[in-house]
Amino acid sequence: MECPHLSSSVCIAPDSAKFPNGSPSSWCCSVCRSNKSPWVCLTCSSVHCGRYVNGHAKKHYEDAQVPLINHKKSEKQDKAQHTVCMDCSSYSTYCYRCDDFVVNDTKLGLVQKVREHLQNLENSAFTADRHKKRKLLENSSLNSKLLKVNGSTTAICATGLRNLGNTCFMNAILQSLSNIEQFCCYFKELPAVELRNGKTAGRRTYHTRSQGDNNVSLVEEFRKTLCALWQGSQTAFSPESLFYVVWKIMPNFRGYQQQDAHEFMRYLLDHLHLELQGGFNGVSRSAMLQENSTLSASNKCCINGASTAITAIFGGVLQNEVNCLICGTESRKFDPFLDLSLDIPSQFRNKRSKNQENGPVCSLRDCLRSFTDLEELDETELYMCHKCKKKQKSTKKFWIQKLPKVLCLHLKRFHWTAYLRNKVDTYVEFPLRGLDMKCYLLEPENSGPENCLYDLAAVVVHHGSGVGSGHYTAFATHEGRWFHFNDSTVTLTDEETVLKAKAYILFYGERQAKAGSDKL
């Protein structure tokens, strides 16, 4: 929005010596010393934390207004300051009096000058830090893949995602998708969309609550977020613009309560798929997909219309066979899927850890076998037999008719009881490499051995006891190294730690033909 308060609130020089030392995205709140979501006041250059941390930036504004309450309204309009602040990570500007993000500037362009100054400080700090890390790495052994900083193991060049208020479910999914190379590269290579015209054309777009529904693009904000995650220019990125668009087009995820990461992933992929079916700067997204040689027509799977990058990468096809137990009539139906939801077999549900001694460990193969095994439908799921012309007892069996390039497996850890949604906290053993899906195929003889092997790309983990509480993190592999993504914190980790995780969502990528032949 166009803010009328900039002239009375933006008073600091862009090269002010009052700014703290170090990287702006890591500045600490002057009250609570938190370095999460720092905001700088454009009146006095003091730094405070945002409203999703402890809210000291807003309190700084409110405290500044107290001495003015006895003034006349006209005097208050002239003297009120400390109303405008800037996010030290995304450089977006916010006015507390307007209660919205700001897109305009002062006559002297002070806001843009401050923004550029903060960007320069961030780049300088990053360059110095990278140089320091490079020296440390050069002095370490060749086998060392971890860098110790302040006693903790930290990742190099990886970027975290700031928690905007119980948004760990979104952060874990975004980090997982960003490490699926083919998927991420497709979006990062899309041309940028300029959503604004007129006076703000050419500037960075900051979404505000005053914008209409027609001015938001999930694909564009998703593209921007993926581009930011592996640039290595900052320790954490704030996905507030993407979260704003999510609120706009996915009403189920409005508010700041904890959400189900799997449910969010499905909504996200479905909406990306729908938007990709539309036009893009005069070019059909489907046409762009056809031009991409890595996503050939033979790999496409249509869901709700034309094929897109979503269905080309995640799309597979199931064959659902239902047999009437009375007359033997067989019914076959083909269903496209973007992920498979697997039950954890009931006999394993009391085993909570890998080393627990009471019985065998549940494996991913057990869950897949339970999904594809022949099942007799119970009385509540009677099949309408067209030959018998009434509902009859029947059996059901799933076959995979076509495997996707990226196989997404969701373990059904949350189950409704009479009043509660309980969590199944069973440990499920899963392979890092060589998940063999050939035995679940409808026609395995038509698939080469290399087309049925999958290697793990990412894992989403839920910590806690319930779907409405707890915390989500993700593990993902990038350039041969495993990372643990915990909101704004990213650390290097090892395969042993990944294998101990209680997986909720697993992302497996199709193995290239040149790889080895390990099998599950």
Side-chain angles (χ1 to χ4, degrees):
M1 61 159 285
E2 301 281 337
C3 174
H5 310 114
L6 295 184
S7 59
S8 62
S9 296
V10 182
C11 307
I12 61 174
D15 58 348
S16 172
K18 293 182 179 179
F19 286 129
N21 295 323
S23 158
S25 62
S26 300
W27 285 347
C28 295
C29 172
S30 59
V31 178
C32 65
R33 307 308 298 167
S34 170
N35 65 350
K36 294 182 179 179
S37 187
W39 290 73
V40 60
C41 174
L42 297 189
T43 301
C44 63
S45 73
S46 59
V47 177
H48 297 89
C49 58
R51 66 177 66 193
Y52 304 126
V53 184
N54 293 315
H56 288 125
K58 184 178 182 182
K59 189 173 188 305
H60 173 69
Y61 154 71
E62 292 170 344
D63 291 345
Q65 310 312 304
V66 173
L68 302 171
I69 58 176
N70 295 323
H71 287 264
K72 295 180 180 178
K73 184 177 180 180
S74 61
E75 293 176 344
K76 184 177 179 181
Q77 292 270 356
D78 294 334
K79 293 184 179 181
Q81 295 181 342
H82 306 276
T83 63
V84 180
C85 57
M86 182 177 289
D87 188 330
C88 298
S89 297
S90 66
Y91 313 115
S92 54
T93 310
Y94 191 88
C95 176
Y96 281 107
R97 289 187 67 186
C98 298
D99 195 23
D100 209 340
F101 287 94
V102 176
V103 297
N104 59 317
D105 204 338
T106 65
K107 292 180 180 179
L108 298 176
L110 289 178
V111 173
Q112 183 59 25
K113 289 179 180 179
V114 172
R115 182 176 292 124
E116 291 173 355
H117 183 65
L118 294 187
Q119 289 173 330
N120 290 336
L121 290 176
E122 185 76 33
N123 292 337
S124 298
F126 170 71
T127 302
D129 186 55
R130 184 170 57 180
H131 181 70
K132 180 180 178 182
K133 288 179 178 179
R134 187 183 293 117
K135 278 197 165 186
L136 287 171
L137 284 174
E138 288 172 355
N139 295 331
S140 64
S141 65
L142 293 176
N143 294 326
S144 176
K145 291 189 177 181
L146 302 181
L147 178 65
K148 295 287 185 177
V149 179
N150 296 330
S152 63
T153 304
T154 60
I156 306 169
C157 296
T159 301
L161 285 168
R162 296 191 186 280
N163 193 314
L164 305 178
N166 280 327
T167 57
C168 56
F169 68 92
M170 178 178 75
N171 292 348
I173 294 297
L174 293 177
Q175 293 286 14
S176 298
L177 295 177
S178 76
N179 284 282
I180 298 172
E181 185 176 1
Q182 189 177 24
F183 179 79
C184 185
C185 286
Y186 172 82
F187 281 92
K188 290 199 294 186
E189 291 170 4
L190 289 176
V193 176
E194 190 57 57
L195 299 179
R196 290 181 172 272
N197 297 307
K199 290 187 291 183
T200 57
R203 298 183 190 172
R204 177 173 178 173
T205 300
Y206 300 102
H207 289 302
T208 73
R209 286 193 293 276
S210 60
Q211 288 182 258
D213 289 338
N214 294 331
N215 286 332
V216 298
S217 168
L218 179 63
V219 169
E220 173 64 2
E221 293 306 330
F222 186 69
R223 182 194 69 82
K224 289 179 182 177
T225 301
L226 293 184
C227 288
L229 285 179
W230 284 101
Q231 289 180 343
S233 58
Q234 51 188 332
T235 56
F237 175 76
S238 181
E240 56 192 16
S241 294
L242 176 62
F243 195 42
Y244 168 81
V245 176
V246 168
W247 277 30
K248 276 282 188 181
I249 66 178
M250 304 181 199
N252 290 6
F253 297 96
R254 290 176 185 169
Y256 297 100
Q257 65 272 25
Q258 182 66 280
Q259 302 280 0
D260 185 354
H262 175 251
E263 184 180 359
F264 171 76
M265 182 197 74
R266 285 307 313 268
Y267 270 89
L268 178 67
L269 293 180
D270 287 346
H271 280 277
L272 287 172
H273 171 65
L274 291 174
E275 191 172 320
L276 284 169
Q277 289 178 0
F280 186 76
N281 279 0
V283 181
S284 166
R285 299 273 186 154
S286 297
M288 293 176 64
L289 176 65
Q290 291 169 4
E291 293 173 3
N292 190 327
S293 60
T294 61
L295 303 176
S296 63
S298 62
N299 290 321
K300 293 179 185 177
C301 167
C302 294
I303 298 176
N304 297 327
S307 176
T308 66
I310 305 299
T311 53
I313 294 172
F314 289 96
V317 179
L318 283 175
Q319 177 178 289
N320 182 1
E321 293 181 356
V322 180
N323 285 276
C324 176
L325 292 177
I326 305 303
C327 68
T329 299
E330 183 179 273
S331 172
R332 295 183 181 180
K333 180 182 177 184
F334 291 95
D335 296 314
F337 67 86
L338 294 179
D339 70 311
L340 298 177
S341 290
L342 311 178
D343 279 307
I344 297 174
S346 56
Q347 67 266 30
F348 297 107
R349 291 190 182 177
N350 292 326
K351 189 173 180 63
R352 300 198 170 197
S353 69
K354 183 175 182 178
N355 299 322
Q356 197 171 326
E357 295 181 358
N358 55 336
V361 175
C362 179
S363 69
L364 189 57
R365 175 179 285 182
D366 293 317
C367 299
L368 284 165
R369 188 183 298 116
S370 175
F371 179 78
T372 56
D373 275 352
L374 188 69
E375 173 190 5
E376 184 172 338
L377 300 178
D378 60 30
E379 297 291 337
T380 62
E381 300 177 293
L382 292 179
Y383 162 66
M384 182 63 192
C385 178
H386 297 292
K387 187 174 181 179
C388 300
K389 299 189 183 304
K390 63 178 181 178
K391 291 185 176 182
Q392 301 281 31
K393 286 187 175 182
S394 59
T395 59
K396 179 179 72 173
K397 180 174 177 61
F398 284 119
W399 292 97
I400 299 177
Q401 196 266 339
K402 174 189 170 296
L403 283 166
K405 298 185 77 63
V406 174
L407 178 64
C408 179
L409 301 176
H410 160 236
L411 299 180
K412 295 161 75 171
R413 291 195 174 274
F414 300 107
H415 290 266
W416 285 104
T417 58
Y419 302 102
L420 299 172
R421 197 178 184 191
N422 293 327
K423 181 179 178 182
V424 178
D425 204 28
T426 301
Y427 171 78
V428 177
E429 194 173 52
F430 55 89
L432 289 181
R433 286 173 286 275
L435 172 63
D436 192 349
M437 296 296 293
K438 191 167 186 174
C439 60
Y440 310 110
L441 283 175
L442 179 64
E443 298 176 342
E445 65 277 4
N446 295 334
S447 299
E450 71 280 356
N451 296 329
C452 301
L453 290 178
Y454 286 80
D455 297 328
L456 190 65
V459 188
V460 174
V461 181
H462 178 267
H463 310 266
S465 58
V467 67
S469 59
H471 182 60
Y472 287 98
T473 65
F475 293 95
T477 180
H478 183 79
E479 296 181 349
R481 296 185 297 177
W482 280 96
F483 293 84
H484 183 220
F485 298 91
N486 182 5
D487 288 336
S488 57
T489 302
V490 184
T491 57
L492 277 168
T493 187
D494 53 36
E495 294 183 353
E496 185 179 354
T497 302
V498 177
L499 288 170
K500 290 179 180 178
K502 293 182 180 179
Y504 180 46
I505 306 172
L506 297 144
F507 296 89
Y508 280 93
E510 184 182 53
R511 176 180 290 186
Q512 300 302 314
K514 63 181 180 181
S517 58
D518 301 350
K519 292 187 178 182
L520 171 63

